[in-house]
Amino acid sequence: VAGTGVSELQVYRLWEKMSGPPHVTVKVADGDEIDTVLDRIEAEIRMHDNTHPHAGDWEAAVVSIVTREGSEIEFVNDLPENRKVFVLCGTESYFFPTDVVGEVFKVQLPHSTREVDVKVLSNTPQLLQVDNFLSPEECDQIINSAKPGMKRSTVEVLDEGGKTKEHVDRTSTTSWLYDKDCPFVKTLHERVEDLVKVPKSYAETLQVLHYAPGQLYKVHHDYITVYNDQPRYAEGHNRMITVFFYLTTVEEGGETIFPYGRMPKERWGEVKHNGNCDENRDGMKVNAVW
């Protein structure tokens, strides 16, 4: 027989820090069904968000409760001891919280039947490092498959309606890799799906980049600029997550620089779009990890 203990569940939205106050709190008894708890949370969120100026823009529909590590809670007995959980509403997908820099998550990759460590490097931007995601043999397979298709990288040009062309701001070479070019691509997409918990149907074609000495890509965003005649992006379709795979390592250079990495928010205006990344002294440099 279940106990009769009652506790307070602290419920957070995905963008909130668990070190701060919760979005809402609800009472949970030992014998409660998880659906009852979901209904209780949804009612509290609706009541809470009705005081928000943009409350009419959407309706809360709580679909699941997840732990900080991303495990879905199916039974009240599975709630964490600290009684802190995230809630997913509507079409939201879980992604690792980054409010505790240095925190390490153990992530299962069912398609590969193994586990990897995911370490939080930064909160702004949300930046995580995954060790041993690819084996040396898998890296070689991707490189060798991509080599025949390598061409000069291009950029979108705003004043030409989003057309792509070669530009001095991006001097690397690129190869787009499909399943037919490399059988491992399908496996890689499945592995990424396990990591980021977003269906692989959302993924773009795998892009393999090569930077020779002196080549670069200046400061830019990975999200796609929305143009007036592109209803796909106006409806909310865009890049959610970027996953880098470092296929080789070098003795010097070769890093990705995140300009806002260690910069106070009041100085973000110093970062120049299409500027040189290494001009930002507070930028965070991330190198290949072996």
Side-chain angles (χ1 to χ4, degrees):
V1 179
T4 57
V6 177
S7 59
E8 187 174 74
L9 187 65
Q10 300 181 59
V11 181
Y12 294 80
R13 303 302 300 276
L14 289 174
W15 59 84
E16 295 173 329
K17 297 181 178 181
M18 276 192 171
S19 56
H23 197 76
V24 297
T25 60
V26 297
K27 299 293 184 183
V28 178
D30 290 347
D32 283 342
E33 296 289 338
I34 201 67
D35 286 343
T36 302
V37 178
L38 287 171
D39 290 342
R40 208 170 289 157
I41 292 172
E42 183 169 319
E44 286 294 325
I45 289 179
R46 287 184 186 277
M47 187 180 302
H48 174 279
D49 291 1
N50 277 342
T51 63
H52 193 279
H54 302 294
D57 293 347
W58 70 288
E59 291 187 0
V62 176
V63 293
S64 63
I65 305 170
V66 295
T67 65
R68 186 173 179 83
E69 294 75 25
S71 300
E72 184 174 353
I73 301 294
E74 297 181 355
F75 303 96
V76 168
N77 288 343
D78 295 332
L79 289 170
E81 290 185 9
N82 67 3
R83 288 300 192 258
K84 292 185 175 185
V85 296
F86 285 110
V87 65
L88 302 182
C89 297
T91 58
E92 291 175 352
S93 297
Y94 169 86
F95 194 65
F96 311 102
T98 56
D99 51 307
V100 181
V101 174
E103 183 174 12
V104 177
F105 296 92
K106 298 285 186 182
V107 181
Q108 299 293 329
L109 304 176
H111 283 98
S112 302
T113 62
R114 62 192 183 94
E115 181 182 79
V116 292
D117 289 339
V118 177
K119 182 179 180 180
V120 179
L121 298 184
S122 168
N123 175 255
T124 305
Q126 291 182 294
L127 186 60
L128 302 107
Q129 172 184 297
V130 185
D131 293 342
N132 301 312
F133 193 74
L134 297 173
S135 69
E137 293 75 21
E138 290 167 342
C139 292
D140 289 342
Q141 187 176 351
I142 293 172
I143 292 170
N144 292 331
S145 299
K147 281 181 178 178
M150 279 290 175
K151 296 180 180 178
R152 172 71 184 269
S153 302
T154 58
V155 299
E156 287 186 343
V157 183
L158 292 176
D159 59 1
E160 294 185 16
K163 294 181 180 179
T164 60
K165 63 185 295 184
E166 295 179 6
H167 198 280
V168 294
D169 288 347
R170 190 183 190 191
T171 56
S172 59
T173 51
T174 301
S175 179
W176 297 90
L177 207 55
Y178 299 85
D179 293 4
K180 62 182 177 61
D181 304 315
C182 177
F184 177 66
V185 169
K186 180 176 181 294
T187 301
L188 181 57
H189 279 305
E190 291 172 342
R191 196 176 296 176
V192 172
E193 179 182 67
D194 290 338
L195 175 70
V196 302
K197 308 181 191 306
V198 174
K200 61 179 182 292
S201 59
Y202 284 71
E204 296 181 12
T205 303
L206 182 64
Q207 187 177 167
V208 184
L209 303 173
H210 177 251
Y211 289 89
Q215 291 183 338
L216 51 77
Y217 194 171
K218 292 188 176 181
V219 175
H220 65 282
H221 295 287
D222 265 5
Y223 67 76
I224 298 170
T225 304
V226 178
Y227 300 99
N228 293 332
D229 298 328
Q230 292 183 297
R232 175 188 178 196
Y233 301 119
E235 293 170 359
H237 297 273
N238 213 314
R239 290 171 170 168
M240 302 165 60
I241 300 168
T242 298
V243 182
F244 287 97
F245 316 101
Y246 290 95
L247 303 176
T248 60
T249 188
V250 291
E251 293 182 2
E252 185 179 2
E255 66 269 352
T256 303
I257 301 175
F258 296 86
Y260 297 145
R262 295 187 177 91
M263 182 181 289
K265 191 171 184 178
E266 57 269 19
R267 290 183 43 222
W268 284 5
E270 297 176 15
V271 178
K272 298 177 182 178
H273 186 68
N274 295 337
N276 291 320
C277 292
D278 54 7
E279 291 177 353
N280 303 291
R281 62 182 184 277
D282 293 321
M284 176 175 287
K285 294 184 178 182
V286 179
N287 296 81
V289 177
W290 291 94

